[in-house]
Amino acid sequence: MSTLLLNTLTGKTSAGSIVVTGEGGSTTTNMQQGLAKAWASIYHNSGTPTSLDSLNIATYTDSGTGNIKPNLTSAMANTGYTVTSAGWGIASWLDRDTGAMFSSTSQYQIYNTENNGAIDVTSTYPISTTIHGDLA
């Protein structure tokens, strides 16, 4: 068994592009395209967005009850990136809805509602988000 120790991977043809052969060997995918460019686990107690952990998030803007805007450390290349979000809670929260969308190349928006009204999220029930797309 061999061990490969690296600090940096660089593409041969293009420094920022590494192609990986898929299962079965007949298709390839660009490794950078599949990597998350930002992610966060956030709660919003008393109107103060707080990060439990994150990647590529500089700060958070409180935009009102149930509305948080994470500010990216490194901007996205365009507003065509995707934001995936998830929230969870106790069994009685059957009408809870968590969503996210892009606002600009350097900020996206998270919203959280329950029973048709905006709510802040407690540390017991955080919101998680992930961004995929191209960095600037």
Side-chain angles (χ1 to χ4, degrees):
M1 184 165 153
S2 298
T3 302
L4 181 62
L5 301 173
L6 304 168
N7 287 325
T8 304
L9 290 173
T10 303
K12 182 178 178 183
T13 304
S14 174
S17 181
I18 296 174
V19 175
V20 178
T21 302
E23 299 82 355
S26 63
T27 60
T28 60
T29 188
N30 184 299
M31 186 168 74
Q32 289 80 348
Q33 290 292 307
L35 299 175
K37 302 308 188 298
W39 55 263
S41 179
I42 311 157
Y43 63 91
H44 195 197
N45 284 342
S46 303
T48 304
T50 303
S51 176
L52 298 171
D53 202 358
S54 67
L55 170 72
N56 194 23
I57 307 293
T59 59
Y60 298 89
T61 300
D62 178 9
S63 295
T65 302
N67 193 329
I68 305 168
K69 291 184 178 178
N71 300 293
L72 299 173
T73 304
S74 297
M76 302 302 289
N78 56 59
T79 57
Y81 60 91
T82 64
V83 182
T84 305
S85 66
W88 61 280
I90 58 177
S92 65
W93 290 20
L94 297 177
D95 292 330
R96 184 172 178 193
D97 180 34
T98 299
M101 63 185 185
F102 62 82
S103 295
S104 69
T105 58
S106 60
Q107 184 182 69
Y108 65 102
Q109 181 173 342
I110 303 166
Y111 59 88
N112 195 62
T113 62
E114 180 183 56
N115 298 319
N116 299 318
I119 62 167
D120 286 342
V121 181
T122 68
S123 57
T124 307
Y125 306 110
I127 293 174
S128 299
T129 63
T130 305
I131 292 179
H132 287 86
D134 297 326
L135 289 172

